[in-house]
Amino acid sequence: FEFVIVLLSIASIGLRFVVTTVAMVTVLVKFVSRLARIARVFRLVQRAKSLRILFSTVLLSLPSIGNVMLLMMIIYYVFAVIGMQLFTDVRFQTFHNKKANFRTFPSAFLTLFQMSAGDDWMFFMHELMNTRDCTPKDEAPASLIAPYSDCGSSFAWLYFILFYILVVFIFSQLFVG
């Protein structure tokens, strides 16, 4: 069995170099070679007792991991909606820009995901706390129907620190533990 898997892997690598013009054949070759490598791993899991125990433990913990992921996505959703309410009209700056902002739900969700990785979230928080270099509601142009302000919120620190504590310190430790 293992000899056949090794032969298929070598044949798929060889076919990659021979067949370069037909795209469908190369996709099929890649799929077969990857499938053969995966079959080799499963064959190894069947033989090694300790690896089989580890593999079954991982399979049994998948529903719990799914529940934790669902709860984490709910927290991301709630914080994205709150962030859209608080920071939608804040003027773009260095870190709060076209790519990382709270103007739409997808960009708010991705911004929170970026910050949960620890990517300059403190600078982002400081830019959204800015209430000095902005246009307050009482100085907004009269042509606007609704009161407008591109100022940040003084509650940004509470929002970001609460998010960071919940997501990074609690949920990341659930996955590590």
Side-chain angles (χ1 to χ4, degrees), residues 1-16:
F1 179 74
E2 291 175 6
F3 180 72
V4 172
I5 291 174
V6 170
L7 280 180
L8 283 175
S9 298
I10 293 172
S12 66
I13 291 170
L15 279 175
R16 250 187 246 162

Side-chain angles (χ1 to χ4, degrees), residues 86 89-91 128 130-132 134-136 149-153:
L86 290 174
D89 296 326
V90 176
R91 182 173 41 137
L128 292 178
N130 183 17
T131 55
R132 281 182 254 137
C134 58
T135 308
S149 172
D150 63 357
C151 297
S153 173

Side-chain angles (χ1 to χ4, degrees), residues 49-60:
K49 183 181 178 185
S50 60
L51 194 59
R52 185 176 45 230
I53 292 170
L54 183 66
F55 192 73
S56 65
T57 304
V58 168
L59 285 177
L60 289 174

Side-chain angles (χ1 to χ4, degrees), residues 12 22 28-30 38-39 46 50 56 60 62 92 121 123 132 143 150 157 161 166:
S12 66
V22 182
L28 184 64
V29 167
K30 287 180 183 179
I38 290 172
Q46 289 176 353
S50 60
S56 65
L60 289 174
L62 281 178
F92 287 157
W121 70 273
F123 302 117
R132 281 182 254 137
S143 62
D150 63 357
W157 66 271
I161 290 177
L166 269 175

Side-chain angles (χ1 to χ4, degrees), residues 60-99:
L60 289 174
S61 67
L62 281 178
S64 299
I65 291 173
N67 291 337
V68 170
M69 288 291 291
L70 183 65
L71 183 61
M72 196 168 181
M73 289 301 118
I74 290 171
I75 289 175
Y76 273 99
Y77 177 82
V78 168
F79 273 92
V81 171
I82 293 171
M84 286 175 57
Q85 285 292 335
L86 290 174
F87 312 118
T88 297
D89 296 326
V90 176
R91 182 173 41 137
F92 287 157
Q93 296 175 26
T94 305
F95 293 96
H96 179 253
N97 53 34
K98 286 186 207 178
K99 293 181 181 177

Side-chain angles (χ1 to χ4, degrees), residues 129-176:
M129 286 173 54
N130 183 17
T131 55
R132 281 182 254 137
D133 305 325
C134 58
T135 308
K137 288 181 183 178
D138 53 345
E139 296 176 16
S143 62
L144 293 173
I145 297 171
Y148 173 79
S149 172
D150 63 357
C151 297
S153 173
S154 56
F155 292 107
W157 66 271
L158 180 66
Y159 173 83
F160 284 102
I161 290 177
L162 188 63
F163 173 76
Y164 206 73
I165 287 173
L166 269 175
V167 171
V168 175
F169 291 141
I170 295 176
F171 281 105
S172 296
Q173 293 305 316
L174 282 174
F175 284 112
V176 171

